Amino acid sequence: MKNELKVKHKLGFGTAPLGNMFRDVPEEEAMKTIQSAWDEGIRYFDTAPFYGAGLAEIRLGEILSTHKRDDFLLSSKVGRIILDEEEEKEGLFEYGRKNKIRTDYTEDGTLQSIEDSLKRLKTDRLDMVYVHDLSPDFLGDEWITKFDEARKGAFKVLDRLRDEGVIKAWGLGVNTTTPIEVALELEEAHPDLSLSATQYTLLQHERAFERMMPLAQEKGGGLVIGSAYNSGALLGGDFFDYQEITPDIKKRVEQFTDVARNHDVKLKHAALQFSAAHPAVKAVVVGSTRPEHIKEDLQAMQADIPVAFWEELVEKKLVSSKAVLPGK
């Protein structure tokens, strides 16, 4: 694929919240949100088996299956198999389906994961596939062992599927930068589009800017940016990177809020435009369970933001002086 991804508005719809992340989302609300995304012109949708143990895929499939498959781009993820056996849930998707989940980055597991996703999504193909949460934040010290499992399994399978034209692109979908960087430098595998969540945002971007972003460009790949609001922290929410927000992060958000107020700028607008501005970024995916938020996100991408706003962020060292800024 190599930088050929073209996403309308450079904005995609992420479905993690529709897997009942943090709360029990009523079915009608979920359906209206997906339909709103379509009605507003969104044509790239990202999902994963992990989101509510298949719930987000099932909900997304209900809406997308009513549209022509060639009219939209669809990505899902591999690395987890949803089992029939059930268990009590806790954590991010406490309110999702009760099905047990098995972590599996092998060749067979990857093929099964794709097949299962296609059934839940009621479709015949995925455009992009991300190897999900192959990262220390989920796997701890075991991530290196699992990375090796994926290198011998998932990576080879996805390379082959892309080369055969079955999928358009593949990469990693993670919340840290190191796994993407390591994968990009492999000689035997060739990821060309990765989803980086939480790592290239207004609140944190220096590590990504120094290494992950230029490496993606150098290797001819691209990036999709997720969680541009850092799980809602930048918009005044209670979570930062899927964990309860800390006082230090709250203080930083207040600093951003003060600068935004000085220039009559909405932080949502600035966050989306910042994450989208780097040339390595092909799209930004935003998630919601509120139908009205979709139009707000599209408007945010088009909003005028004064140069003085960005200059003050740099001056106060809230944003790296080396960062690629919108409009510059």
Side-chain angles (χ1 to χ4, degrees), residues 203 233-234 236-237 240 245-259 267 316 318:
L203 276 174
L234 198 59
F240 171 76
I245 195 168
T246 65
D248 286 346
I249 296 297
K250 279 188 176 182
K251 184 176 180 180
R252 287 199 67 219
V253 172
E254 288 170 5
Q255 291 175 300
F256 277 101
T257 303
D258 288 342
V259 176
L267 274 182
K316 292 186 173 178
L318 292 172

Side-chain angles (χ1 to χ4, degrees), residues 53-121:
L55 180 60
E57 289 185 317
I58 291 169
R59 286 172 162 175
L60 185 61
E62 286 297 317
I63 300 296
L64 292 187
S65 62
T66 65
H67 298 285
K68 292 180 180 179
R69 183 60 186 84
D70 289 342
D71 289 348
F72 59 90
L73 289 170
L74 177 62
S75 61
S76 192
K77 304 180 182 74
V78 296
R80 294 187 175 98
I81 305 294
I82 309 303
L83 306 176
D84 291 333
E85 186 180 353
E86 295 186 349
E87 64 181 356
E88 286 303 309
K89 296 286 184 174
E90 58 182 18
L92 283 179
F93 294 104
E94 176 184 352
Y95 302 100
R97 297 166 77 218
K98 301 298 184 183
N99 301 65
K100 281 189 174 182
I101 299 175
R102 184 181 81 237
T103 300
D104 190 333
Y105 297 104
T106 65
E107 177 177 352
D108 289 344
T110 297
L111 291 171
Q112 181 183 341
S113 180
I114 292 174
E115 183 179 345
D116 292 347
S117 287
L118 293 177
K119 290 176 183 176
R120 287 189 291 265
L121 288 162

Side-chain angles (χ1 to χ4, degrees), residues 226-300:
S227 195
Y229 314 134
N230 293 99
S231 304
L234 198 59
L235 306 182
D238 297 325
F239 295 92
F240 171 76
D241 292 3
Y242 312 110
Q243 304 291 329
E244 190 172 339
I245 195 168
T246 65
D248 286 346
I249 296 297
K250 279 188 176 182
K251 184 176 180 180
R252 287 199 67 219
V253 172
E254 288 170 5
Q255 291 175 300
F256 277 101
T257 303
D258 288 342
V259 176
R261 191 180 297 115
N262 290 344
H263 299 276
D264 195 23
V265 167
K266 293 184 177 180
L267 274 182
K268 171 181 270 196
H269 297 180
L272 285 183
Q273 290 191 26
F274 177 86
S275 290
H278 196 285
V281 175
K282 304 305 171 186
V284 178
V285 293
V286 291
S288 179
T289 59
R290 309 293 187 187
E292 64 273 14
H293 287 176
I294 310 301
K295 183 176 288 188
E296 292 176 10
D297 293 334
L298 285 165
Q299 291 172 343

